[in-house]
Structures are given as structure tokens and as C-alpha cells.
Amino acid sequence: MIHAYDKIYLDKARVALGRMLDFAVFDLKYDISEFFDLFIRSGVADRFERGDCTLTVGMSGVELAYEVLERFGVRQERVRPNYTVDRSEEFWTGWALAYYQWETSLRFAEIARYVPVREVQALYQPFHEMDIRQFVDRMNVMYHTAKPETNLKLLRQKAGLSQRGLAELSHVPFRTIQQYEQRQKNINKAQAEYLAMLAQTLYCDMGDLLENTQ
């Protein structure tokens, strides 16, 4: 498994994302879903999930929250954070999500599309007292249940192509495309040449074709 970024940054990244959500909800008075959406649409999530050190370890959760707002063009009066004594559900949600994103290399936008942040928060009981691997296993079940189709099929349909049409344009065999979409073959083990030809045809990155197979 190729992780999103080096593990040495993970602990600080998890705390930063947890503090960001805690601060946004309790001090800035945002709804958790609203702020997580801002996090994604501001572009800060893109940098965070790629392991941008200026965000993952170079900013506190409070600074990260303000970075989101500034990037989104929201003017926000600076307030003094009032940290909770115990980790809040909001903190745990960010803390756990940062691990899941690192573990799977899925984009935050992709995770939230199929498992909204409120559904993640609802896992606080009982998963905050359990090993993080159990949370990852549960998230994988929820993600795959909500998204039964492969990335290849979704991207092909978005492009308005049939399987045969994609085969003709990409020069990847029709039967191979069928097997990838039906998960009879693991696209994560596809020839690099096939991935490159499919990505070029579908105007996407090769990584967009890969699946979270955990």
C-alpha cells in the first residue's frame, strides 16, 4: 500500500485536522459539514492530502481553520480558542479521517462524497475507544457499500463512452475493460501502459483509476 505521505508527519497531521474541526465548530460556530465542505472546496484539502508540510506539520489546527477561510475568501474575526478538556467528537472525527485518508490515499472529496463527515462523526461511539484499524475497516465497508461502481466505470460514464467506445479510443482491449469494471481483474495491478492510455482518453490522472481495495 502506497500511503498519501510519509508516516513521520501523520501524528501531527491528525492532531491538526482534529483541532481544525473542533475549533471551527466550537469557537467559529460552523456546522461540521459546512466547514468540512469549505476545507475541500478551498483547495486546502488537496494540499493536506498530498502531505504539504506547511499544512500537515507547519500549522496548528486553529491556523489551518483560518487558512481554509482565507483561501475561500471568508473574512473571519480572530478569536481565542477554548480547547475542550477531553477530545470532542469533532476532534476525533478529524483525527480519524486524517488517518483514513493517509492509509487509503483517497482524496478527502472522494471520501466525503460516499461517507459524509456527519456519518464519520456518528462512528465516535464506539470507535473512539477502539484501535484505529477497526475504524478503517468500518469506513471501508461504508465506502464500498455507498460506491459499488469502479472508478473506471464512473469516469467512462462521465465521458459518455461505452465500454467498446473506450476500447477503440484508448486501444485497451474491450474484454480487459470489462474485467476491470466487473473487478474480475484488479486495475491496481494493470500495466502502466494500459493505465496511461485509459487516463489519456478519459482526461484524468492514472491515480484516479485506481481503487481502494482494502
Side-chain angles (χ1 to χ4, degrees):
M1 167 60 67
I2 299 175
H3 297 298
Y5 47 86
D6 197 297
K7 191 175 183 178
I8 63 172
Y9 304 121
L10 180 59
D11 287 344
K12 287 187 177 180
R14 295 175 73 187
V15 170
L17 203 65
R19 287 293 185 205
M20 181 194 78
L21 289 183
D22 182 274
F23 178 69
V25 171
F26 290 102
D27 295 290
L28 300 182
K29 308 304 180 184
Y30 277 88
D31 174 82
I32 191 171
S33 297
E34 180 186 5
F35 196 85
F36 199 72
D37 183 59
L38 291 179
F39 171 63
I40 291 170
R41 292 195 291 146
S42 68
V44 175
D46 291 335
R47 293 166 55 199
F48 192 98
E49 65 203 18
R50 291 197 303 267
D52 185 334
C53 295
T54 62
L55 301 180
T56 55
V57 298
M59 288 188 179
S60 67
V62 172
E63 291 170 326
L64 193 59
Y66 283 124
E67 178 75 6
V68 168
L69 296 176
E70 288 171 7
R71 293 290 177 179
F72 208 77
V74 176
R75 293 181 178 273
Q76 177 70 51
E77 180 183 354
R78 301 276 168 158
V79 299
R80 184 183 181 87
N82 294 305
Y83 294 124
T84 51
V85 176
D86 297 319
R87 290 182 174 182
S88 64
E89 289 186 15
E90 291 75 12
F91 177 93
W92 177 84
T93 300
W95 181 83
L97 266 175
Y99 185 93
Y100 185 71
Q101 190 280 321
W102 173 83
E103 175 72 14
T104 62
S105 294
L106 291 170
R107 300 186 65 193
F108 283 111
E110 170 79 359
I111 296 169
R113 183 177 296 117
Y114 296 102
V115 187
V117 70
R118 281 205 174 278
E119 292 187 18
V120 179
Q121 184 180 16
L123 297 176
Y124 177 78
Q125 292 287 1
F127 286 94
H128 77 288
E129 295 181 338
M130 301 168 71
D131 185 274
I132 192 66
R133 291 298 317 172
Q134 292 174 285
F135 166 76
V136 169
D137 290 343
R138 178 58 183 160
M139 282 288 291
N140 283 334
V141 169
M142 294 170 69
Y143 175 80
H144 287 299
T145 299
K147 184 196 172 188
E149 306 293 2
T150 64
N151 289 333
L152 175 60
K153 183 174 181 177
L154 293 172
L155 288 165
R156 175 180 62 75
Q157 290 176 333
K158 184 178 180 180
L161 293 171
S162 65
Q163 290 179 334
R164 194 167 296 280
L166 178 58
E168 291 173 356
L169 289 173
S170 67
H171 305 294
V172 174
F174 169 67
R175 180 57 182 153
T176 299
I177 289 173
Q178 283 187 317
Q179 290 172 323
Y180 288 151
E181 290 194 3
Q182 295 168 6
R183 294 194 172 97
Q184 294 175 0
K185 281 188 175 181
N186 184 354
I187 197 169
N188 293 5
K189 297 180 180 179
Q191 298 176 33
E193 182 183 7
Y194 280 0
L195 288 175
M197 291 189 296
L198 288 169
Q200 184 177 19
T201 304
L202 294 171
Y203 297 98
C204 67
D205 294 329
M206 289 193 290
D208 294 333
L209 296 166
L210 303 182
E211 296 290 320
N212 171 24
T213 58
Q214 295 186 56

